[in-house]
Amino acid sequence: MCRLVAEAAHKGDKQLILDTRRMVGEPEDSVHTPLDPHEFCNKIFHTCCVGTKNSSAETRKRVKDLSEAIGSYHMDLNTDTLVTSVRDLFAFVTGMRPRFRAHGRCGAENLALQDAQLRMLLAYLFAQLLPWVRGRQGALLVLGSANVDESLHGYFTKYDCSAADINPIAGISKTDLKKFIAYARDAFEIPILDDFLIAMPTAELEPISETHVQTYEVDMGMTYDELSVFGRFRKVEKCGPYGMFTKLVHKWGSFLSPVQIVEKVKHFVFECARNRHKMTTLTPAYHAESYSPNDNIAQTNLRPFHYPLRFPWQFKKIDEVAAVLPDRSNSAADKTKTD
């Protein structure tokens, strides 16, 4: 967008130039023209690495390098003191102090201690006050960051990733998003994006140890590529559990057994149903793709936000079919070994 603004400014678009001056708080007698996209980006786009002691130096460096490459106004902060204060308050009120799973405690404690909603509070605090810090009027829009696959699975926190003014990638799957990042790397000459394409997606909200590193795909129990396929089957082809299974037997049958495919179908359907209520808090977004997780935008295929967690008829049916289908994945593996 900043590049388009700079191109239009070079062509002398007077209305655009006036609009940009107003947007960034230039005085009425200003003669500034946004000819440099990096300079303009620094005026309107603010980025922040909101980390804790669990955040890696590699992640912080990637974020900083990207901010420098695009020209954003960037900050790096730790929320450890804020997190500690919240935990101390809970311990004072209840007499119980939760611990991370890495310290031998249960999943409920582990999930609560990731404190994702605190990032929402900070995002809106900074969005409201950063213009004031920089001597300007007004406030900033907060951008969300959950993609289609995470929304369908429910792998996002209510009022964290879902709490924003607009989400630029809410209607895009991870697989398509990576294609765009690869395009942007070349078209906009941002080589640092290579590091984002090969980096393992991780929230870094849990302590890192020799035996445990929190990653999105492990947490979800599925890969992004698999979720992308399920998302298209669910929305574009209107498939239920049985329909997904019959299509995936042909699509994945060469490397997965029917029973393994059944388990993946059940897992996706279960998580999608269990977390469907989160769809009611999705950030406003531009849903240009037919596989959008938002069923309400087209007023077709409306689905409730309260689903049963099991689909007894469908699950029973795919179990029965899988039990009699030949396992082509084993024969394919044997053939590979023979070759």
Side-chain angles (χ1 to χ4, degrees), residues 54 56 101-102 200-219:
N54 299 320
S56 68
R101 180 166 45 202
M200 186 175 295
T202 173
E204 295 186 332
L205 295 173
E206 298 180 39
I208 299 174
S209 66
E210 294 181 358
T211 58
H212 175 72
V213 176
Q214 183 185 22
T215 63
Y216 286 173
E217 292 184 331
V218 171
D219 277 358

Side-chain angles (χ1 to χ4, degrees), residues 135-153:
R136 302 176 188 169
Q137 300 294 320
L140 303 172
L141 293 174
V142 176
L143 303 184
S145 60
N147 58 52
V148 163
D149 306 320
E150 291 158 357
S151 295
L152 283 176
H153 184 281

Side-chain angles (χ1 to χ4, degrees), residues 316-334:
K316 180 174 181 291
K317 186 68 175 177
I318 58 178
D319 281 337
E320 291 173 351
V321 176
V324 298
L325 285 178
D327 184 351
R328 294 186 292 119
S329 63
N330 290 336
S331 59
D334 292 340

Side-chain angles (χ1 to χ4, degrees), residues 19 31 86 94 97 101 110 120 138 166 189 210 236 258 268 276 280 287 290 303 305 309 312:
D19 287 342
V31 295
V86 172
T94 66
R97 182 172 292 276
R101 180 166 45 202
N110 189 74
M120 179 269 289
I166 190 168
E189 298 179 348
E210 294 181 358
V236 180
F268 171 78
R276 183 66 186 162
T280 63
H287 295 275
S290 55
R303 304 181 189 219
F305 67 85
L309 296 189

Side-chain angles (χ1 to χ4, degrees), residues 2 20-21 23-26 32-34 36-46 71-73 131 134 136 140:
C2 293
T20 57
R21 289 174 184 169
M23 183 185 300
V24 301
E26 296 281 351
H32 180 267
T33 301
D36 183 348
H38 287 80
E39 179 189 21
F40 184 60
C41 181
N42 185 266
K43 292 178 181 292
I44 68 167
F45 189 41
H46 299 64
S72 67
Y73 183 88
R134 303 184 73 184
R136 302 176 188 169
L140 303 172

Side-chain angles (χ1 to χ4, degrees), residues 142-336:
V142 176
L143 303 184
S145 60
N147 58 52
V148 163
D149 306 320
E150 291 158 357
S151 295
L152 283 176
H153 184 281
Y155 189 71
F156 68 93
T157 304
K158 260 187 174 180
Y159 311 118
D160 170 38
C161 294
S162 72
D165 296 305
I166 190 168
N167 184 347
I169 64 171
I172 308 172
S173 74
K174 183 77 167 185
T175 51
D176 286 344
L177 186 60
K178 290 178 73 172
K179 293 175 185 176
F180 173 74
I181 292 174
Y183 162 79
R185 172 197 59 199
D186 301 329
F188 303 144
E189 298 179 348
I190 310 177
I192 182 59
L193 289 177
D194 256 339
D195 291 350
F196 287 83
L197 287 170
I198 62 176
M200 186 175 295
T202 173
E204 295 186 332
L205 295 173
E206 298 180 39
I208 299 174
S209 66
E210 294 181 358
T211 58
H212 175 72
V213 176
Q214 183 185 22
T215 63
Y216 286 173
E217 292 184 331
V218 171
D219 277 358
M220 292 188 294
M222 308 188 76
T223 67
Y224 278 107
D225 289 341
E226 290 170 344
L227 281 168
S228 180
V229 171
F230 277 120
R232 285 177 168 84
F233 281 168
R234 171 193 171 275
K235 187 66 180 284
V236 180
E237 302 191 31
K238 308 294 190 296
C239 290
Y242 183 76
M244 291 179 185
F245 170 73
T246 56
K247 291 178 181 293
L248 289 173
V249 165
H250 297 283
K251 189 176 182 68
W252 292 348
S254 61
F255 54 89
L256 290 177
S257 71
V259 174
Q260 289 174 316
I261 294 173
V262 165
E263 292 307 312
K264 288 186 178 292
V265 170
K266 287 182 177 180
H267 181 64
F268 171 78
V269 172
F270 172 79
E271 292 296 341
C272 187
R274 180 173 67 155
N275 294 302
R276 183 66 186 162
H277 63 97
K278 294 183 179 181
M279 293 296 100
T280 63
T281 66
L282 274 185
T283 302
Y286 178 61
H287 295 275
E289 293 290 348
S290 55
Y291 55 68
S292 165
N294 189 341
D295 291 324
N296 298 315
I297 53 173
Q299 297 304 315
T300 59
N301 191 28
L302 299 182
R303 304 181 189 219
F305 67 85
H306 49 86
Y307 265 135
L309 296 189
R310 298 289 192 277
F311 293 74
W313 188 90
Q314 295 94 327
F315 285 6
K316 180 174 181 291
K317 186 68 175 177
I318 58 178
D319 281 337
E320 291 173 351
V321 176
V324 298
L325 285 178
D327 184 351
R328 294 186 292 119
S329 63
N330 290 336
S331 59
D334 292 340
K335 184 178 184 301
T336 302

